[in-house]
Structures are given as C-alpha cells and as structure tokens.
Amino acid sequence: MQLLNQAVVTEHLNMQAAIEAVESLLTQQAAHPNWVKAPERLVIETFSEDSKHSSGSHLSMPATIYDGDQEYTTVKLVTICPDNPSRNMPTTTAIITVSNNDTGEILAIMDGIYITQVRTAALSGIATKYMAKSDCQSVAVVGCGGMAYEQLHAVMTVRPDTKKVYLWNRNNEGAEQFKTKFARDYAQWDVEIQVCKEIGEAIRDADIINVATRATEGLFSIEQIKSDAHINAVGAYQPSMKEISNDVVAGSNMVVVDDLAGSRHEAGDLIQAHNASDCSWTWDDLSGDLQALVTGELKEDMTKSKKGITLFKSVGAASFDAAVALYIAKQAVQKNIGSSVDW
C-alpha cells in the first residue's frame, strides 16, 4: 500500500491529467453506465448546537469504478471546519482510500485536499472548454479562497491565450496574496493580474467568471456582466447558499450541471431560482449535465453558440474524486510513488 501526503500528490498530479481523467470517466460512464457507481454522499452537520464552534460538516463519499479490467473502490472522507483559518489551518481536510475490489487490497491512502481542489477545477476547465468562447481574453475570479486558485489554473489550461485576470475578494488582503502566489507559480503565462476593490469592476469586462464563495445571496446582476460571458459557479453547495442571482440564471442561454442528481439537492443557486415566484427559470430549463456536454448529446447549435450567457454549476460527486484518485493510485503503484507500507 502506498501512503501519499499532500506534497507527493501535488507533485505528481497536474491539471491536464486531471481534466483528461474526468473527461475519460464521463465518456466511459456514458458508454457503460454500470461501470461507475456513486451513491449520494452522506453529509453530517457538525457543532450545530455548540456556541463555541462554527457549524461545519463531515462528508463521506464512496464510489466504484470498473475500468474494463479491474474494479476499484474509492472513499473520500471530508471535514469542513469554518474556524480553521483562525488556527492557520485549512478550512477543508480530506483523505481518500483506493482499493482493489477483486482482492479488497487497499492500494493507496492519500491526502484529499489537493485532489478535491483539482478535480473541482477540472470540471470547470471542461465546462469552459466546451461552453466558453474560443477567443476569451479575460477571466474574473470572484472569491479568492482555496478553491479559486486551481479554478483559475484550470481555465488558463484550456484558454491559455487569456491576457487579463481580475481578482475580487471580500478581504482585499486575500486577493493580493492570491495574485502574488499565482504570478509566482505560473510565470509561464503572460497574463496581467489586477486586484479590484469592487466586484463590478472585476466582472464587467470578463469573458469568463469563476465564482467560489460561501455567499447566501446573488453577488451580481445580469446587467453587470458581458452578454456572452461564461460563468463557472462552484460555491453555494447547500440549498441555503447562493452566489448566482436569479436574473443571471434565468438569463443564461445555457445552464449545465456536473451531476444531475446532486444538483437537485445541493445547488442552492438553481434550487432557489426554481422556487422563486418572481423567477422564470425552472429545472425544466436545465440544458443538461457535463457528461452530455462532453459526449455531444447536447444540441450542437447550443454548444457552439457564441451568443448569450452560459452557466456551469458544480456541486461535486464522488465519481469525479474517484477518477482522479484512481489515476494517482495507479501511478503510485507502478512508479513506487510515496511511502510503501505493509498492511
């Protein structure tokens, strides 16, 4: 069994590999629906009655994948601790196990924080690849937390000709730190990065808008963005949360989700838009999911249209974690990556 800490996972997982792993999963799942099984994740609220701690959550996310030769099980255990930044610790902690279902042998135990960030970003990268204009020049990052960094990395991977990045964060210091880190880590991209004091300044000229916040109401209106902007929304992962306004949802030419079942229960932006009496959008207006986008099941004229706003909403699913974790586990076994442990 291989033990892979965050440093090892980060070293051996790149964004292009993650994007390819998820696209392969979606294609495989379309061709062989029974090869991938991912039940709805179990979410347990933590500290809901404790005044000394902010309420967080614990998630258990199992999935099985058959690759045509072997079947594997992955299980991701996640704990979200909102008070951790004050302790100089990450808000989200996660660990993933990968086992061979033929023997039950655990092949690898790995840190899941970076995998979660990268696989979430890979979904946005894939959505951007298929939904955003091919000649995008600018990206807005709304919310500069842990998820936002790899989101921008994914968008830049599929739209490497981007020239301008606008950053907005409720805490301006967080945006400045983001700018310094991204400019250092990805100096190969000739991109200008600007920190904006107002959200309107960040989004008004952006061809792509990445949104990753814990907001509970829409952050901007449709009048504030370009008429052909593409939006990747990865926050608002609970029904009570919302970062995309109803008018933006209703005004989008195309709305795609990563997971059909999960979005009905967790996509706060869409749930609230559907339930609002003054919003025309309903679930019947949903264009489809990422699998249909990748496999071409969505109408060609919709996917190639250059007119109108496009919106991708992500809530996550265990199968996406499984695809990326399995890629890393196979690499670890083949190349003896990490620490080998007898179990």
Side-chain angles (χ1 to χ4, degrees):
M1 180 179 70
Q2 302 302 116
L3 293 180
L4 311 172
N5 63 19
Q6 188 172 9
V8 172
V9 173
T10 302
E11 179 183 357
H12 294 281
L13 176 61
N14 64 68
M15 184 59 68
Q16 186 59 46
I19 289 174
E20 291 174 0
V22 174
E23 280 206 73
S24 177
L25 169 81
L26 293 169
T27 302
Q28 183 185 72
Q29 196 169 17
H32 305 282
N34 294 329
W35 285 17
V36 180
K37 301 173 184 176
E40 187 175 343
R41 60 190 177 190
L42 173 65
V43 181
I44 303 174
E45 186 177 6
T46 59
F47 293 116
S48 57
E49 297 181 2
D50 191 327
S51 61
K52 296 181 181 179
H53 305 83
S54 297
S55 178
S57 55
H58 177 78
L59 295 78
S60 178
M61 303 172 64
T64 62
I65 292 182
Y66 179 63
D67 64 3
D69 181 40
Q70 296 283 345
E71 185 182 72
Y72 303 88
T73 290
T74 69
V75 179
K76 185 171 80 168
L77 300 175
V78 185
T79 304
I80 300 174
C81 308
D83 295 327
N84 267 3
S86 65
R87 306 180 180 112
N88 198 28
M89 297 174 64
T91 300
T92 301
T93 64
I95 192 169
I96 300 175
T97 64
V98 180
S99 58
N100 183 321
N101 284 357
D102 189 30
T103 63
E105 177 187 12
I106 297 178
L107 302 179
I109 297 177
M110 64 190 74
D111 177 86
I113 296 176
Y114 188 64
I115 286 178
T116 300
Q117 293 173 343
V118 171
R119 70 86 160 139
T120 303
L123 299 175
S124 292
I126 294 168
T128 301
K129 174 182 173 181
Y130 288 92
M131 298 173 71
K133 297 183 300 181
S134 60
D135 59 347
C136 292
Q137 295 294 304
S138 55
V139 181
V141 176
V142 177
C144 297
M147 286 293 180
Y149 192 79
E150 295 304 330
Q151 291 288 315
L152 179 57
H153 181 187
V155 167
M156 293 293 295
T157 298
V158 300
R159 291 291 186 270
D161 293 331
T162 298
K163 299 301 181 185
K164 188 70 177 281
V165 173
Y166 303 96
L167 305 178
W168 178 84
N169 194 60
R170 292 188 189 278
N171 181 337
N172 194 65
E173 182 181 354
E176 292 289 353
Q177 292 174 349
F178 185 108
K179 175 182 177 179
T180 300
K181 187 174 188 297
F182 198 86
R184 179 194 67 208
D185 293 348
Y186 298 106
Q188 73 270 25
W189 282 319
D190 182 20
V191 59
E192 178 186 352
I193 304 176
Q194 176 182 334
V195 173
C196 302
K197 293 183 179 180
E198 302 293 336
I199 191 171
E201 181 185 359
I203 62 176
R204 67 188 177 199
D205 296 321
D207 296 313
I208 301 169
I209 304 172
N210 288 349
V211 191
T213 72
R214 292 173 57 86
T216 55
E217 59 182 23
L219 296 171
F220 50 85
S221 66
I222 196 168
E223 289 81 10
Q224 292 179 278
I225 63 177
K226 295 179 72 172
S227 61
D228 57 357
H230 171 68
I231 303 169
N232 296 309
V234 305
Y237 54 88
Q238 295 177 355
S240 60
M241 301 170 72
K242 185 175 183 65
E243 53 188 7
I244 306 301
S245 302
N246 288 348
D247 66 334
V248 175
V249 176
S252 294
N253 181 56
M254 193 175 187
V255 179
V256 172
V257 297
D258 59 345
D259 180 62
L260 289 174
S263 63
R264 293 271 185 161
H265 301 291
E266 299 175 356
D269 309 291
L270 303 185
I271 292 170
Q272 292 183 46
H274 171 85
N275 292 336
S277 60
D278 59 348
C279 180
S280 62
W281 191 88
T282 71
W283 286 109
D284 291 337
D285 298 313
L286 184 70
S287 303
D289 63 4
L290 205 58
Q291 178 178 297
L293 193 67
V294 168
T295 59
E297 292 180 32
L298 290 184
K299 292 181 180 180
E300 185 175 347
D301 60 340
M302 292 180 67
T303 58
K304 291 188 176 181
S305 173
K306 300 303 179 185
K307 297 180 180 180
I309 295 166
T310 55
L311 170 63
F312 171 63
K313 176 61 188 173
S314 175
V315 295
S319 58
F320 303 133
D321 294 291
V324 178
L326 183 56
Y327 165 80
I328 288 293
K330 288 181 176 181
Q331 292 289 309
V333 172
Q334 293 169 5
K335 301 178 181 179
N336 195 30
I337 297 170
S339 302
S340 182
V341 177
D342 291 330
W343 194 259

